[in-house]
Amino acid sequence: MMIYLGRVLGGLCVGLLTLTLPVYLSETVQPEIRGILGLLPTTFGNAGILLCFLVGSNVNWWVLGYVGAIVPLIFTAMMCFVPETPRWYISKDRAEDARSALQWLRGSFNDVEFELEAIQINYEMSSQTTSTVLDVFSRRHVRPFLLSMGLMLIQQLSGINAVIFYTVDIFEMSGSSISGHVSTIIVGVVNLLATFVANAVIDKVGRKVLLYISSGLMVVSLVSLGSFFAVQAKAENVAADHVDAEWWASTMESLSWLPLVSFMVYVIAFSLGWGPIPWLFMGEALPAKVRGPAASMVTTLNWTCTFVITKTFPGLVLKLGPSIVFFMFSVIMIVGTFYAVFLVPETKGKMLEEIEEELSGRKDRPIPGRKISTVSGLNMK
């Protein structure tokens, strides 16, 4: 019961953090660096995964629990010195607190008046009527909400959490000559490094380009994994019938490198695009008026899919075989490619107010500073 209670509390708190962190970052970070800083939760998340792989392969699981408890303690202490977001202060009619928070975030030598005015005007336009949960589904707000839901759905149906949670089992199932724990650590390292690459280029190439690259590489790696397990199943059947068993055994030995390489490409591709961008997009695109309830529903969908995929993956492997399961994931990512190409807008370098105007179709109010080339470190149009 103590283990269950700990897992429930941990899961509840992780759910709250994955909801609030993207929103907080999107509301406080300048547009030209919002991509880089918006990926930090994913970067640190991947660092945590690697830490678990490294520590967990050498100690008892309860020692890993103590190690994991250190990070939230540090996080809580540091958050005591961080202000609320200026947009939240504006929503509570605390304009001076909003100015102080924005000045703290931008630095004492930067002029924040234009940015503060844009936030105030956007809030006044959005708050002319009382906000309810049903407003999420209004004509003005439903498009960014559905786009965020779609991104989260594809992210989880790509099978990433099944791959992460069952990495050791999958490598043992593949018959790889490399230890499952060693392979897992290798996957964790490339996962973290790929996130740093995404951090470096996301504000240069944009969100959509990274989604294209991510989708293509994930499809290739999933098809490779599916093909490997299909060949493995064929080799096992042939060996049972004693037909060309030696040739098939030699073939499988020559392909022993494929699972690890495919896994590395898969996690690199995921960390470049489909891992961080749905969370970043959620914080950027959801309208201010419904950002709280909409983000809650999007986050709920993400963790619900995580639970379903994680719990059903072993059963699917037993029922259908690993090759079919990985081919299914590849088909989902092909759908995700078309979704990114035709439906997801580019948000690089835009203020939250501009993104909201574009997605809602609202053209009835100016955004201050559009003709100002540089204000408070912002490149405004």
Side-chain angles (χ1 to χ4, degrees):
M1 290 307 298
M2 290 177 65
I3 295 174
Y4 283 132
L5 179 61
R7 293 295 291 164
V8 168
L9 290 175
L12 179 65
C13 294
V14 168
L16 290 172
L17 284 173
T18 52
L19 164 65
T20 54
L21 278 175
V23 173
Y24 186 90
L25 288 173
S26 68
E27 290 190 355
T28 56
V29 175
Q30 299 96 319
E32 68 269 23
I33 59 170
R34 193 169 56 236
I36 295 174
L37 296 186
L39 295 193
L40 281 181
T42 302
T43 303
F44 288 124
N46 290 340
I49 291 172
L50 178 58
L51 176 65
C52 288
F53 287 166
L54 290 169
V55 177
S57 61
N58 295 290
V59 301
N60 291 325
W61 63 268
W62 53 269
V63 176
L64 186 59
Y66 285 125
V67 173
I70 296 172
V71 177
L73 291 174
I74 298 173
F75 178 84
T76 303
M78 295 180 69
M79 283 302 296
C80 293
F81 301 96
V82 177
E84 264 292 354
T85 73
R87 288 169 174 82
W88 184 84
Y89 281 128
I90 290 294
S91 72
K92 302 303 178 183
D93 197 25
R94 296 165 59 179
E96 284 305 314
D97 288 332
R99 180 179 284 103
S100 298
L102 194 58
Q103 198 73 68
W104 187 92
L105 290 162
R106 299 292 179 260
S108 58
F109 297 102
N110 288 311
D111 183 4
V112 299
E113 292 304 317
F114 283 103
E115 186 178 0
L116 185 63
E117 185 183 354
I119 295 171
Q120 289 176 313
I121 290 177
N122 183 69
Y123 175 73
E124 290 168 3
M125 293 296 299
S126 300
S127 61
Q128 291 178 352
T129 58
T130 304
S131 176
T132 66
V133 173
L134 293 178
D135 286 329
V136 175
F137 303 97
S138 67
R139 184 176 180 182
R140 176 172 290 180
H141 301 141
V142 73
R143 183 188 173 198
F145 172 69
L146 292 179
L147 285 172
S148 295
M149 294 284 275
L151 285 170
M152 289 298 189
L153 187 65
I154 294 169
Q155 180 201 69
Q156 290 305 313
L157 293 182
S158 70
I160 182 62
N161 280 303
V163 168
I164 293 296
F165 292 152
Y166 296 104
T167 301
V168 174
D169 295 334
I170 293 171
F171 276 112
E172 291 176 352
M173 190 167 46
S174 71
S176 174
S177 58
I178 303 175
S179 164
H181 287 292
V182 173
S183 299
T184 299
I185 292 171
I186 293 173
V187 168
V189 170
V190 298
N191 187 27
L192 178 59
L193 294 178
T195 313
F196 283 112
V197 174
N199 285 346
V201 301
I202 189 168
D203 283 319
K204 295 182 176 65
V205 304
R207 284 67 162 153
K208 287 175 72 74
V209 171
L210 285 182
L211 285 177
Y212 302 158
I213 297 171
S214 178
S215 298
L217 291 176
M218 288 176 73
V219 170
V220 170
S221 59
L222 287 167
V223 169
S224 297
L225 281 170
S227 300
F228 173 84
F229 283 108
V231 172
Q232 184 188 58
K234 177 67 175 178
E236 290 174 353
N237 292 334
V238 167
D241 296 333
H242 304 288
V243 178
D244 295 329
E246 185 176 340
W247 183 85
W248 281 101
S250 175
T251 300
M252 291 307 303
E253 185 177 351
S254 65
L255 293 176
S256 61
W257 55 271
L258 188 58
L260 179 58
V261 173
S262 298
F263 263 82
M264 291 171 63
V265 172
Y266 176 79
V267 297
I268 288 172
F270 182 83
S271 296
L272 283 176
W274 281 101
I277 289 177
W279 294 106
L280 179 62
F281 184 86
M282 181 186 78
E284 291 180 325
L286 294 179
K289 183 177 180 180
V290 296
R291 189 169 290 145
S296 298
M297 286 186 275
V298 172
T299 305
T300 299
L301 174 70
N302 181 279
W303 286 108
T304 300
C305 291
T306 299
F307 176 80
V308 171
I309 293 295
T310 304
K311 296 301 291 184
T312 58
F313 179 75
L316 287 173
V317 169
L318 289 175
K319 187 80 172 179
L320 304 175
S323 61
I324 299 298
V325 174
F326 285 116
F327 285 141
M328 288 169 52
F329 290 152
S330 68
V331 171
I332 291 168
M333 290 316 305
I334 292 173
V335 174
T337 304
F338 287 101
Y339 187 86
V341 171
F342 294 108
L343 295 177
V344 179
E346 181 58 72
T347 58
K348 180 185 72 170
K350 297 178 181 178
M351 291 181 63
L352 298 188
E353 288 70 29
E354 292 180 88
I355 298 170
E356 181 174 341
E357 179 184 275
E358 177 184 335
L359 292 178
S360 67
R362 187 173 69 192
K363 304 292 184 181
D364 55 351
R365 55 116 174 96
I367 293 182
R370 281 186 181 274
K371 295 182 180 180
I372 307 297
S373 59
T374 302
V375 179
S376 302
L378 293 171
N379 294 322
M380 299 184 185
K381 296 179 181 179

